Amino acid sequence: MTDLSPTLSLACDLISRDSTTPEDAGCQALMGERLAAVGFRLESMRFGDVNNLWARRGTEGPVLCFAGHTDVVPTGPVERWAQPPFEPVIRDGMLWGRGAADMKGSLAAMVVAVERFVAAHPDHKGSIAFLITSDEEGPATEGTVKVVETLVERGEKVDWCIVGEPSSTEAVGDIVKNGRRGSLNARLVIKGKQGHVAYPHLARNPIHLAAPALATLAQETWDAGNEFFPPTSFQISNINAGTGATNVVPGELEALINFRFSTESTVEGLQLRVTDILDQHGLDYDLEWTVSGLPFLTEPGALLNGVSAAIRQVTGRDTQPSTSGGTSDGRFIATMGTQVVELGPLNATIHQLNEHVSAADLDTLTDIYQATLEQLLC
């Protein structure tokens, strides 16, 4: 491929590196080399088997941080791709390859936007930073969360953060994520007594015992949401019981449950209500909770206004703030009191076979990032 824009050229270079989570495959070094050339101080932070990059240009506030991840999800069956997933190609106006949309295209747009901005405004206000991890698609325990902990420990503040997650749906910039719901998981074990199905009086079937309680949980209204968030949802994602034999009453049932919760609910409140319902049904149970992330919200202010103005300037369209979708690393950055938005290309093919994104959209995204810098740091 020849005559590519700077953004597309860098995106192809990043996509060509097999950085299946938690691998980075040299992506951060490539980005860091470009950033160092325009005055960024680089700091590599490795935790466990995860590479993280913290880069900053400037020493004063306010700090505008671009955040993202170099790791990608596994390709799936390579033979079902139209071309090798780590050999990017532009065909029919689309850039094809694993990570094109999620999120190496965004990373390339960020770097090029900053290069252009610094060239035009070498004495800009405040500071520009990059927080890049290779642990977003994996457990997310050694990546952004650890970098944030380090920054907090040494008193560094991030005022605004743009996460390059693919937020758009129909046209680049039509949707900006200004918050995310929290995610609360539980492993619920209902205890019964194993026995022969022909002698049910000598057994206690945990499936029968659990069914009314699970139905109550599924029908419960947890909250009504608010102007920014939909109502909290409860889902049973897995149920397992039995020995595989048709003539054995199982001894226990395991259910995996998940809440996607709004700012109207708390972890403690949801946990208490679940245990109350289980107790009301007289169950003998074990319950193990894990929190994947707390909800966060960036209300209209400097960042959201600046991003919206930049999108309007570049595309002529008004953007729609949204808190829909799953979790992202923005949940960790928001704990610093940072205003966080997610802005990236279309999300139609993320994590799919033959992942692709509009080549022209990545150039548009570059212009939007640059215009946002001008809105906030000029």
Side-chain angles (χ1 to χ4, degrees):
M1 293 180 288
T2 59
D3 299 324
L4 296 180
S5 71
T7 297
L8 290 173
S9 179
L10 179 54
C12 288
D13 203 346
L14 292 169
I15 293 168
S16 69
R17 300 161 187 257
D18 181 353
S19 57
T20 303
T21 191
E23 296 298 324
D24 168 70
C27 292
Q28 291 174 27
L30 174 62
M31 295 176 62
E33 182 179 353
R34 299 276 291 258
L35 294 173
V38 292
F40 279 77
R41 178 178 57 84
L42 308 183
E43 185 176 357
S44 177
M45 297 187 187
R46 185 171 175 85
F47 300 103
D49 59 355
V50 173
N51 290 318
N52 303 287
L53 174 65
W54 172 249
R56 178 167 174 169
R57 186 183 197 274
T59 58
E60 305 295 327
V63 179
L64 171 57
C65 176
F66 290 97
H69 59 92
T70 51
D71 59 322
V72 297
V73 295
T75 63
V78 174
E79 66 275 9
R80 293 178 57 188
W81 283 70
Q83 78 291 317
F86 297 108
E87 295 181 14
V89 62
I90 295 178
R91 186 176 64 249
D92 301 326
M94 297 289 177
L95 172 60
W96 302 74
R98 174 57 86 217
D102 188 14
M103 59 173 286
K104 292 181 176 180
S106 296
L107 296 179
M110 290 172 173
V111 170
V112 173
V114 167
E115 289 173 333
R116 291 175 177 173
F117 176 76
V118 169
H121 309 281
D123 300 318
H124 59 81
K125 296 191 306 182
S127 299
I128 309 170
F130 277 76
L131 196 171
I132 310 298
T133 184
S134 65
D135 183 37
E136 197 274 348
E137 300 291 8
T141 57
E142 305 291 340
T144 299
V145 62
K146 288 292 184 69
V147 177
V148 167
E149 290 173 359
T150 301
L151 296 177
V152 170
E153 286 174 0
R154 64 194 195 193
E156 286 199 60
K157 180 181 179 183
V158 175
D159 298 276
W160 308 309
C161 181
I162 299 174
V163 185
E165 290 293 342
S167 61
S168 306
T169 56
E170 301 295 333
V172 64
D174 61 348
I175 299 291
V176 169
K177 303 292 186 182
N178 67 319
R180 293 283 192 169
R181 295 174 296 174
S183 180
L184 174 63
N185 309 285
R187 175 179 176 269
L188 171 64
V189 175
I190 306 296
K191 300 177 182 180
K193 182 180 179 181
Q194 185 172 317
H196 197 295
V197 295
Y199 303 94
H201 60 289
L202 300 178
R204 295 176 62 247
N205 193 321
I207 301 174
H208 297 179
L209 296 172
L214 294 178
T216 300
L217 290 169
Q219 295 165 6
E220 184 79 359
T221 298
W222 303 95
D223 61 47
N226 54 37
E227 61 178 314
F228 300 105
F229 289 94
T232 290
S233 68
F234 168 89
Q235 290 292 315
I236 303 169
S237 58
N238 201 342
I239 291 181
N240 183 53
T243 64
T246 60
N247 60 351
V248 178
V249 173
E252 63 181 31
L253 173 146
E254 179 186 83
L256 302 181
I257 64 178
N258 174 265
F259 286 97
R260 293 301 169 102
F261 62 102
S262 75
T263 50
E264 295 296 307
S265 291
T266 65
V267 168
E268 296 78 12
L270 292 172
Q271 290 173 335
L272 180 60
R273 290 175 65 182
V274 168
T275 56
D276 283 346
I277 289 172
L278 297 175
D279 291 342
Q280 289 168 16
H281 285 81
L283 298 176
D284 182 9
Y285 64 89
D286 288 328
L287 195 54
E288 299 175 1
W289 294 99
T290 57
V291 179
S292 299
L294 299 175
F296 70 92
L297 176 69
T298 295
E299 299 193 41
L303 178 59
L304 193 55
N305 292 344
V307 167
S308 298
I311 293 170
R312 190 179 307 110
Q313 173 187 329
V314 173
T315 70
R317 70 176 62 94
D318 291 326
T319 192
Q320 176 65 47
S322 171
T323 61
S324 64
T327 60
S328 79
D329 276 1
R331 68 191 188 273
F332 304 126
I333 300 167
T335 62
M336 305 171 72
T338 305
Q339 294 180 36
V340 179
V341 299
E342 297 171 24
L343 170 60
L346 271 63
N347 54 27
T349 65
I350 58 174
H351 293 204
Q352 297 181 17
L353 300 175
N354 296 312
E355 179 181 350
H356 60 277
V357 67
S358 165
D361 280 357
L362 294 186
D363 288 326
T364 299
L365 187 62
T366 304
D367 293 340
I368 293 172
Y369 289 153
Q370 182 177 350
T372 301
L373 285 160
E374 291 166 348
Q375 289 282 335
L376 295 173
L377 296 183
C378 284

